[in-house]
Amino acid sequence: MEELKIIELKESVFADNDAEAEKLRGDLKARGQFLLNLMSSPGSGKTTTLAKLIESLKGRYKIGVVEADIDGAVDADEIQRETGARAIQLHTGGMCHLDAGMTRQGIESLDADGLDLIFLENVGNLVCPAEFDTGASKCAVILSVPEGDDKPLKYPLMFEKADVVILNKIDVLPYFDFSMDTFTTYLRARNSHCDLIPISAKTGEGMDKLASWVADEMEAWRK
């Protein structure tokens, strides 16, 4: 009897995506373009944070945005209206993440020639986006105070993948049972090297520090 052939589809999908992601990263590097992958759950303030970041950085850099959602164009419309940045909306057709191929398609459709900085606003959840390398230069995870201080324990891969964790909505810390010490302990158990930047996108607290982080990482990437 012929030996049964077993194909590990998931491993194959990840391997193919990883190869495409490395190629995209190399292409971006060669063009001097910095791609920041923003990941978070819905309601964390991702789009508001992004709009504030663009306002802080657009005087120095040419910026574009790739927005990803299962459906709708609300975020891309908001970014263009509020910041004037070039933006495009990607519909994932029901998929809960972006992969490297989708990201490349978005960047090409954005007409990214001449851009210095591209923000990729990934689909809103704390699970699937962490599994797929998009080809980004760096990855940022946004968590908001109302979501709770235990999220690094519940969604470890997301926080392990982060180059920076942005803790948003610190203006409401007094009203929620959120311990900064507990959150930091759980985060460091998963990721000892990432930066942690507390902000309030609503009040602007911490936004200068976050904008400086993005600028510094971009300049280092382009050297």
Side-chain angles (χ1 to χ4, degrees):
M1 181 181 295
E2 185 178 352
E3 184 177 352
L4 182 66
K5 186 175 182 180
I6 300 174
I7 302 173
E8 297 291 346
L9 291 176
K10 190 172 182 180
E11 290 182 8
S12 176
V13 168
F14 284 150
D16 290 345
N17 183 72
D18 288 347
E20 176 61 27
E22 282 302 316
K23 186 175 187 306
L24 176 57
R25 210 165 2 252
D27 292 343
L28 291 167
K29 181 84 170 178
R31 297 196 297 262
Q33 293 178 320
F34 184 81
L35 176 65
L36 182 63
N37 180 21
L38 292 172
M39 300 179 287
S40 79
S41 60
S44 67
K46 187 160 73 258
T47 305
T48 303
T49 300
L50 178 54
K52 292 290 181 68
L53 262 178
I54 293 171
E55 285 298 326
S56 297
L57 295 167
K58 69 181 185 181
R60 287 182 279 171
Y61 306 111
K62 295 178 181 177
I63 300 172
V65 180
V66 177
E67 293 280 356
D69 278 302
I70 292 174
D71 205 345
V74 175
D75 291 341
D77 288 343
E78 180 179 342
I79 288 295
Q80 286 194 141
R81 184 177 63 252
E82 292 191 7
T83 71
R86 193 185 310 171
I88 190 171
Q89 186 78 47
L90 284 181
H91 289 164
T92 64
M95 298 181 72
C96 60
H97 67 275
L98 288 178
D99 61 22
M102 297 176 198
T103 301
R104 181 183 290 279
Q105 183 179 356
I107 292 172
E108 290 174 352
S109 299
L110 184 65
D111 189 17
D113 288 348
L115 294 180
D116 305 306
L117 172 59
I118 304 169
F119 289 106
L120 176 66
E121 186 172 345
N122 216 313
V123 181
N125 74 82
L126 290 175
V127 183
C128 306
E131 294 186 327
F132 288 85
D133 189 345
T134 61
S137 312
K138 295 290 179 178
C139 292
V141 174
I142 302 177
L143 182 77
S144 64
V145 166
E147 294 174 79
D149 54 23
D150 59 351
K151 291 305 174 287
L153 294 183
K154 293 184 175 182
Y155 305 98
L157 184 61
M158 176 63 70
F159 291 91
E160 289 167 6
K161 295 288 186 180
D163 295 294
V164 60
V165 172
I166 303 160
L167 181 63
N168 192 21
K169 304 186 183 181
I170 59 172
D171 52 301
V172 299
L173 269 171
Y175 310 107
F176 286 87
D177 185 18
F178 186 104
S179 166
M180 183 65 79
D181 289 340
T182 299
F183 173 69
T184 304
T185 298
Y186 290 160
L187 174 62
R188 292 309 175 200
R190 300 299 185 187
N191 189 330
S192 62
H193 65 270
C194 71
D195 290 299
L196 172 59
I197 304 178
I199 69 163
S200 169
K202 180 179 180 179
T203 68
E205 183 178 358
M207 289 303 302
D208 286 346
K209 183 175 181 181
L210 179 57
S212 293
W213 184 92
V214 173
D216 290 346
E217 291 295 327
M218 188 178 74
E219 294 300 338
W221 169 260
R222 296 171 74 178
K223 288 181 179 177

